[in-house]
Amino acid sequence: MNPAASSLAGGAEGVGPEAPPLAPQPVPGLPPVPIAKLALSVVVPFYNEEANIVPWYQALTVVLTELALPYEIVAVDDGSRDGTFARLRELHLADRRLKVLRFRRNFGQTAALSAGFDHVSGEVVVTMDGDLQNHPEDIPRLLAKIDEGYDIVSGWRVKRQDAQLTRVWPSRIANALVSLVTGVHLHDYGCSLKAYRSEVAKGIRLYGDLHRFIPAVASYMGTAVAEIPVEHSPRRAGKSNYGLWRTVRVLLDLVAVRFFLSFLTKPIQIFGFLGLISGGLGTLLGLYLAYLKIFLGESIGSRPLLFLAGLLILVGVQFIVLGLLGEVLTRVYYEVQGKRTYVIRERLGLVSDET
Ligand code: UDP
Ligand code: MG
């Protein structure tokens, strides 16, 4: 058994007769397997992956069985219109360790992962694609890295098997940018194969298409992130859900992520700063024009500079007001949900007052 397996298994000590049954249980209607002592949860989103499901399940199960850890697989059917759900249900009936969530419609990969995180019970959560582009054989190495103390271990598809022009190169540029802007340095943000400590996976709230930024989004909690090279294959069957357009959207998301990381609790600092610059410039221009008018007697009524000065002052005031509105929204955001502006790692001698 490899080191990851032994150590994680150690963390799940006391798994007694109530442990998840190792043999498939083809009886429908049984109570769910006990979930409190799982070591590992694997979350996988599926959108129209009918043809990939059985091969994916077999490949993953071989690896998980070898690990010899109590585990569960949480498959999320993201509103597929083919036989994806039917395949998953068949597998679930034969193996209760495979659990299935089915969305009412296609909500996207980010929502699918969020839903998975909300339902897992393992100490460690691994995510991967359902099209077998990721290799389950890499999972033990991810776990070994988590065991070293990292909170997130991200796969790096060193030899990525996607279209070069529309996918690989745009994504390289996007990765470099994300790394620069967020300060979380990874080569490959887009790799779905990742492992998380479950409190990290459960602690992040994901919107839009932000699953690609999870390591950056999670960095607000102060997470230790590692990256390891992983295998990558061409899609087994079906077609990719994404193209070049995605890279453009990634750039827009990046602006949002950066804002949230730096200014969520202090919007006045960024908007107020922009407002002061704009308003300050406008005021200087105005003073200059006033000097021309009053002391040199020049006519300034038709000068474009006058309009620019007025515009800059107006924009400056608007920025500052926007910052104040942001401050109000921030308070609403935190207080309505009883959210904290901090995340606690451990408590010694103190009890949590969180509900
Ligand atoms: N996926 C999903 N919902 C979507 C799009 C994709 O659940 O709206 C799943 C898809 O089934 C696959 C994974 O997310 O398991 C990655 O998608 P895809 O393979 O299309 O992306 P690529 O590997 O081409 O980046
Ligand atoms: Mg894929």
Side-chain angles (χ1 to χ4, degrees), residues 49 129-133 162 167 232 235 240-241:
E49 303 281 9
D129 280 352
D131 54 8
L132 277 181
Q133 289 200 266
D162 282 315
R167 301 293 303 280
H232 195 238
R235 230 176 197 285
S240 170
N241 292 286

Side-chain angles (χ1 to χ4, degrees), residues 44-49 76 78 106-109 112 128-131 133 157 160 162 167 192 232 235 239-242 246:
V44 188
F46 291 96
Y47 182 51
N48 297 337
E49 303 281 9
V76 185
D78 183 11
N106 179 240
F107 283 96
Q109 202 178 334
M128 68 183 295
D129 280 352
D131 54 8
Q133 289 200 266
R157 297 163 294 178
R160 191 169 160 190
D162 282 315
R167 301 293 303 280
S192 306
H232 195 238
R235 230 176 197 285
K239 63 178 193 332
S240 170
N241 292 286
Y242 306 105
R246 158 160 107 173

Side-chain angles (χ1 to χ4, degrees), residues 74-311:
V74 177
V76 185
D77 172 14
D78 183 11
S80 301
R81 283 183 290 267
D82 62 358
T84 295
F85 181 70
R87 292 290 93 69
L88 289 173
R89 183 169 47 197
E90 284 159 19
L91 290 173
H92 167 72
L93 293 178
D95 177 0
R96 288 308 170 90
R97 287 167 301 181
L98 174 76
K99 300 160 189 182
V100 184
L101 283 171
R102 184 189 193 186
F103 280 176
R104 298 195 75 97
R105 68 165 173 86
N106 179 240
F107 283 96
Q109 202 178 334
T110 301
L113 289 174
S114 292
F117 292 162
D118 288 343
H119 288 81
V120 294
S121 341
E123 289 170 42
V124 176
V125 184
V126 166
T127 57
M128 68 183 295
D129 280 352
D131 54 8
L132 277 181
Q133 289 200 266
N134 301 131
H135 293 207
E137 294 77 18
D138 287 321
I139 292 177
R141 287 193 302 119
L142 293 177
L143 298 182
K145 210 71 190 165
I146 289 276
D147 259 359
E148 282 178 27
Y150 290 98
D151 298 305
I152 300 178
V153 181
S154 184
W156 171 15
R157 297 163 294 178
V158 179
K159 295 199 187 99
R160 191 169 160 190
Q161 307 288 333
D162 282 315
Q164 287 289 323
L165 200 63
T166 54
R167 301 293 303 280
V168 179
W169 278 102
S171 119
R172 264 192 203 154
I173 297 168
N175 279 315
L177 240 135
V178 176
S179 180
L180 190 79
V181 172
T182 64
V184 178
H185 303 297
L186 293 180
H187 294 89
D188 187 8
Y189 267 88
C191 182
S192 306
L193 185 61
K194 291 187 168 74
Y196 309 87
R197 277 177 205 287
S198 79
E199 76 261 24
V200 171
K202 285 179 178 288
I204 38 180
R205 288 281 158 266
L206 297 172
Y207 298 90
D209 290 327
L210 291 194
H211 67 271
R212 284 180 212 105
F213 296 95
I214 293 178
V217 173
S219 71
Y220 90 94
M221 293 188 231
T223 42
V225 183
E227 192 175 40
I228 61 169
V230 295
E231 299 293 326
H232 195 238
S233 300
R235 230 176 197 285
R236 224 188 126 88
K239 63 178 193 332
S240 170
N241 292 286
Y242 306 105
L244 182 60
W245 172 228
R246 158 160 107 173
T247 312
V248 179
R249 298 196 315 209
V250 164
L251 295 183
L252 291 172
D253 282 340
L254 182 56
V255 178
V257 168
R258 177 72 234 194
F259 174 78
F260 271 74
L261 281 179
S262 303
F263 298 108
L264 186 58
T265 56
K266 45 192 174 198
I268 189 72
Q269 292 193 6
I270 180 75
F271 291 115
F273 175 71
L274 293 173
L276 287 183
I277 289 191
S278 176
L281 259 174
T283 309
L284 282 181
L285 284 179
L287 287 175
Y288 168 66
L289 290 171
Y291 167 79
L292 292 184
K293 171 84 186 162
I294 296 166
F295 293 101
L296 307 182
E298 284 181 26
S299 145
I300 57 168
S302 58
R303 292 193 61 167
L305 217 51
L306 184 63
F307 294 98
L308 183 63
L311 192 72

